[in-house]
C-alpha cells in the first residue's frame, strides 16, 4: 500500500502504567521495602584471574550492624553453579576468580550504609594468575583455561546440542557452508577482504540490577528487575533444591534493561543470603557494579567476498569471534545467531561461516538488542559499501541487485524470507532523499545535493552524508 494512502483507524490504546510513570508514582524494585529487610554489599575481585586464598572476616563481622559475612564456603545445601546455557556460574566465586568484578564475598547488615562500611574491611588474599583478556590471548596455545569442563543446563531447546571446546576456551562453535567457495573466488572479478573489530558495550539503564529475596518455610519469593522471570524461577528451584511451585518471582516495573537483565543475575545471591540470615535481603548494584555484571559481546569479524563486475555476489567467507567473557551466560546463542546472520540478507550461492564464542577473563557478555546481529551487520554492510565503491556502483543499487526476494530460501531447511526487503529498501531510500527509483533502475535524486557517503562543505554549506544498511533478524 502506498504510504500516502495509509490511514489511522480508531484511537490508540491507553497505556495502563502511563499516569503512574509520568507522575513518579510508579514503584520500582529500588522503592521496595519489606519488614525486617537487611542489606547486602558484595566484595568484588580487583583482578581478572586469581586463586582465592584466606578470607579474613573478623573486622567486617565486628563492624556495627553486620549480620553475616558470606563466602562460597558458607553456601551449603544448594547447587554450586547455574546459567542459561551451561551451569558454569557460581553464586559466589569458588576457588578462583575469572574476571575483575566477580563477587567473592557478601556482607549483610541492618542498613545499606553499614554493609558498605563493613565490606571494605574484608581481608581477601588473591594469588594472581595469568589472564586472557583478549580474543587472541584466549585462543593462543598455552592460554589459561577458564573452564576445564562444561555441563549444559538443558533449559532451552536450541541450546541442547552445543559444541564447546573448553580446553581451547571455545564456548560454542557454529559452522555452516554451501557451494564451492574456492572455485567461486577464482571466478570472481573482484575479491574484497576486511576485518572489523567492535568493543564491548555496557547495557546502560537508569535502574541498576536489584533483587530482594525472602525465604520462609513455605518457599522462596524474589522481587527482581529481570526480563525473564520464568527462567529465573526455574534456576532458583534447581539451585536451592525446592519444587518449582515453591518459588515465586515478582517483577515490578523495570527501569530499563535492553537485554542486560535477561536470565539470572543477582537473584541467587539474594536468596542464598536470605536463607542464611533468615530475613529478607536486598542486593542492589551501583551502576558501576552493573557494568561489572553484564556487557554486550565485543567481536572481531572477518569478511571475504567475491563478486562479479556487474555487482552479483558469488561467494562469502565469514569468520566471527565474540568475546563471551568469563562465564557463558547466553553467549552460545549469540554465537549461533551471529553466525546465521553474518552473510546478510543476500543471495550468495557459495558460503562458509564460522562463528565462535570465546571465554576470556572479562566481564560476562550476554543478550543485547539483536543478539549478535549488530556486530556482524556492521561488518558485512561496511564491506558492501567498499564493494560498491570498488565497482563504481551506487550502494543501494548493489544491495537491490542481491537482496533475497520474498519467498526465497536463506538457509536450507529454514523458512523462506517472508518480508519484502527490496520494497523496504526502495522506500527507505526515497524517504531519506537518497534516490529516485523507477522500475528496474536507480537514479540519484537530481534535487539532492548529496551523493551517497559524501560529507563536504560546498559554497559555505555543510553537505551531510547519508548511508543505508540492510539486515534481518529471525
Amino acid at each position: 500500500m502506498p504510504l500516502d494512502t495509509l490511514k489511522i483507524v480508531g484511537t490508540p490504546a491507553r497505556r495502563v502504567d502511563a499516569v503512574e510513570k509520568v507522575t513518579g508514582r510508579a514503584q520500582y524494585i529500588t522503592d521496595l521495602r519489606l519488614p525486617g529487610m537487611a542489606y547486602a554489599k558484595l566484595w568484588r575481585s580487583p583482578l581478572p584471574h586469581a586463586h582465592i586464598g584466606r578470607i579474613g572476616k573478623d573486622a567486617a563481622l565486628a563492624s556495627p550492624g553486620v549480620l553475616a559475612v558470606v563466602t562460597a564456603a558458607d553456601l551449603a545445601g544448594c547447587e554450586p553453579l547455574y546459567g542459561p546455557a551451561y551451569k558454569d556460574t557460581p553464586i559466589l566465586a569458588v576457588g578462583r576468580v575469572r574476571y575483575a568484578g566477580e563477587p567473592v564475598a557478601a556482607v549483610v547488615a541492618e542498613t545499606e550504609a553499614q554493609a558498605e562500611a563493613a565490606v571494605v574491611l574484608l581481608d581477601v588474599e588473591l594469588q594472581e594468575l595469568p589472564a586472557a583478556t583478549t580474543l587472541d590471548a584466549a585462543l593462543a596455545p598455552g592460554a589459561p583455561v577458564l573452564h576445564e569442563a562444561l555441563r549444559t543446563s538443558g533449559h532451552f531447546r536450541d541450546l541442547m546440542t552445543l559444541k564447546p571446546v573448553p580446553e581451547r576456551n571455545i564456548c560454542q562453535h557454529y559452522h555452516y557452508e554451501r557451494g564451492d567457495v574456492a572455485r567461486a573466488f577464482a571466478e570472481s572479478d573482484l575479491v574484497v577482504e576486511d576485518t572489523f573489530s567492535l568493543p564491548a558495550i555496557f547495557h546502560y539503564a537508569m535502574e541498576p540490577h536489584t533483587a530482594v529475596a525472602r525465604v520462609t518455610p513455605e518457599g522462596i519469593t524474589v522481587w527482581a528487575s529481570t526480563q525473564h522471570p520464568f527462567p529465573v524461577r526455574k534456576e532458583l528451584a534447581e539451585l536451592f533444591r525446592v519444587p518449582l511451585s515453591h518459588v515465586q518471582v515478582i517483577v515490578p516495573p523495570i527501569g530499563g534493561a535492553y537485554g542486560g537483565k535477561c536470565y539470572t543475575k543477582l537473584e541467587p545471591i539474594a536468596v542464598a543470603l536470605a536463607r542464611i540470615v533468615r530475613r529478607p535481603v536486598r542486593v542492589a548494584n551501583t551502576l558501576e557494579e552493573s557494568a561489572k555484571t553484564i556487557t554486550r559481546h565485543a567481536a572481531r569479524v572477518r569478511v571475504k567476498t567475491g563478486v562479479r563486475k556487474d555487482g552479483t555476489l558469488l561467494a562469502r567467507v565469514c569468520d566471527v569471534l565474540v568475546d563471551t567473557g568469563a562465564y557463558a551466560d547466553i553467549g552460545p546463542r549469540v554465537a549461533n545467531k551471529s553466525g546465521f546472520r553474518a552473510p546478510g540478507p543476500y543471495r550468495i550461492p557459495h558460503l562458509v561461516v564460522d562463528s565462535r564464542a570465546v571465554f576470556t577473563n572479562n566481564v560476562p557478555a550476554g543478550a543485547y538488542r539483536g543478539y549478535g546481529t549488530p556486530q556482524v551487520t556492521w561488518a558485512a554492510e561496511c564491506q558492501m559499501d567498499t564493494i560498491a565503491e570498488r565497482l563504481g556502483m551506487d550502494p543501494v543499487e548493489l544491495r537491490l541487485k542481491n537482496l533475497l526476494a520474498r519467498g526465497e530460501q536463506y538457509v536450507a531447511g529454514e523458512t523462506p524470507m517472508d518480508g519484502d526487503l527490496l520494497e523496504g529498501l526502495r522506500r527507505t531510500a526515497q524517504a531519506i532523499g537518497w534516490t529516485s527509483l523507477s522500475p528496474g533502475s536507480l537514479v540519484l535524486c537530481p534535487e539532492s545535493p548529496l551523493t551517497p557517503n559524501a560529507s563536504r562543505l560546498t559554497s559555505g554549506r555543510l553537505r551531510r552524508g547519508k548511508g543505508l544498511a540492510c539486515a534481518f533478524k529471525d
Side-chain angles (χ1 to χ4, degrees):
M1 180 184 294
L3 290 174
D4 57 0
T5 64
L6 291 174
K7 297 184 183 301
I8 297 175
V9 179
T11 57
R14 183 185 180 90
R15 289 182 63 97
V16 296
D17 58 355
V19 174
E20 286 75 13
K21 285 185 174 180
V22 300
T23 59
R25 296 202 301 268
Q27 295 292 297
Y28 295 85
I29 189 169
T30 50
D31 302 311
L32 178 65
R33 298 293 184 272
L34 299 179
M37 188 170 74
Y39 298 79
K41 292 302 292 184
L42 304 177
W43 192 96
R44 296 173 179 272
S45 171
L47 300 177
H49 200 197
H51 280 304
I52 302 171
R54 187 186 67 86
I55 300 178
K57 302 179 179 181
D58 293 347
L61 284 169
S63 188
V66 171
L67 302 173
V69 175
V70 178
T71 68
D74 303 306
L75 301 180
C78 63
E79 296 296 321
L81 303 172
Y82 67 93
Y86 302 114
K87 290 184 180 294
D88 64 343
T89 307
I91 300 174
L92 293 169
V94 179
R96 61 172 164 151
V97 294
R98 292 176 172 85
Y99 70 95
E102 182 168 4
V104 175
V107 172
V108 186
E110 296 283 358
T111 69
E112 190 168 18
Q114 289 171 335
E116 289 176 347
V119 76
V120 298
L121 301 178
L122 290 172
D123 181 17
V124 181
E125 292 182 355
L126 297 177
Q127 292 87 47
E128 189 168 7
L129 296 170
T133 56
T134 67
L135 290 166
D136 288 334
L139 294 172
V145 176
L146 272 77
H147 301 277
E148 286 73 21
L150 292 166
R151 178 164 60 100
T152 56
S153 296
H155 290 180
F156 299 99
R157 183 182 300 175
D158 65 313
L159 300 178
M160 292 292 195
T161 57
L162 297 176
K163 298 177 181 178
V165 190
E167 66 274 13
R168 294 182 53 207
N169 289 324
I170 295 175
C171 174
Q172 165 65 353
H173 184 181
Y174 169 93
H175 177 81
Y176 176 79
E177 63 179 274
R178 65 170 176 249
D180 185 342
V181 293
R183 178 175 58 84
F185 281 132
E187 295 174 355
S188 298
D189 297 309
L190 174 68
V191 176
V192 178
E193 184 171 4
D194 298 292
T195 299
F196 303 87
S197 296
L198 299 89
I201 294 176
F202 167 53
H203 309 60
Y204 184 91
M206 292 181 69
E207 175 197 57
H209 296 79
T210 304
V212 177
R214 181 175 64 197
V215 180
T216 67
E218 289 73 37
I220 295 168
T221 303
V222 174
W223 293 261
S225 56
T226 179
Q227 295 171 258
H228 280 149
F230 294 104
V232 170
R233 181 180 181 229
K234 180 175 176 61
E235 287 210 298
L236 291 176
E238 292 177 357
L239 271 169
F240 297 101
R241 302 169 184 167
V242 298
L244 188 64
S245 60
H246 288 205
V247 181
Q248 183 181 25
V249 176
I250 300 170
V251 182
I254 299 176
Y258 321 115
K261 293 174 183 172
C262 287
Y263 312 107
T264 305
K265 297 293 185 285
L266 295 182
E267 298 85 2
I269 297 176
V271 173
L273 299 178
R275 291 173 81 216
I276 289 172
V277 301
R278 299 185 179 182
R279 289 170 56 172
V281 172
R282 177 180 189 262
V283 182
N285 277 351
T286 63
L287 278 173
E288 180 181 354
E289 288 175 316
S290 282
K292 296 176 180 177
T293 299
I294 195 70
T295 64
R296 189 186 81 172
H297 288 77
R300 187 167 72 217
V301 184
R302 183 177 68 87
V303 186
K304 180 179 179 181
T305 304
V307 59
R308 290 197 181 106
K309 59 185 177 183
D310 67 353
T312 302
L313 298 177
L314 290 181
R316 177 165 280 177
V317 171
C318 304
D319 184 54
V320 182
L321 296 174
V322 295
D323 182 343
T324 207
Y327 299 104
D329 196 87
I330 206 65
R333 187 179 286 164
V334 174
N336 291 346
K337 297 292 187 183
S338 62
F340 184 76
R341 299 163 184 157
Y346 300 109
R347 190 181 304 104
I348 307 175
H350 306 279
L351 186 64
V352 174
V353 179
D354 285 285
S355 180
R356 290 169 288 171
V358 181
F359 284 119
T360 66
N361 291 113
N362 293 325
V363 176
Y368 187 106
R369 288 297 178 258
Y371 261 51
T373 302
Q375 295 95 319
V376 295
T377 297
W378 181 71
E381 290 300 286
C382 283
Q383 190 175 87
M384 288 294 283
D385 284 343
T386 299
I387 292 168
E389 182 179 10
R390 296 276 295 274
L391 292 176
M393 291 183 67
D394 181 85
V396 175
E397 185 176 3
L398 175 66
R399 288 169 170 84
L400 289 172
K401 185 177 186 66
N402 292 285
L403 276 173
L404 290 162
R406 188 197 299 268
E408 278 194 89
Q409 195 173 57
Y410 177 70
V411 170
E414 296 287 339
T415 56
M417 301 297 292
D418 59 359
D420 192 339
L421 300 177
L422 285 86
E423 179 63 16
L425 180 57
R426 289 190 181 100
R427 290 193 182 193
T428 302
Q430 289 175 324
I432 68 171
W434 179 290
T435 55
S436 175
L437 301 176
S438 59
S441 66
L442 179 148
V443 181
L444 293 178
C445 291
E447 69 278 7
S448 173
L450 295 164
T451 55
N453 304 315
S455 180
R456 61 185 185 275
L457 192 66
T458 303
S459 303
R461 185 161 64 92
L462 181 65
R463 309 296 179 89
R464 297 190 180 278
K466 298 182 182 180
L468 284 171
C470 295
F472 77 104
K473 180 177 181 293
D474 58 309

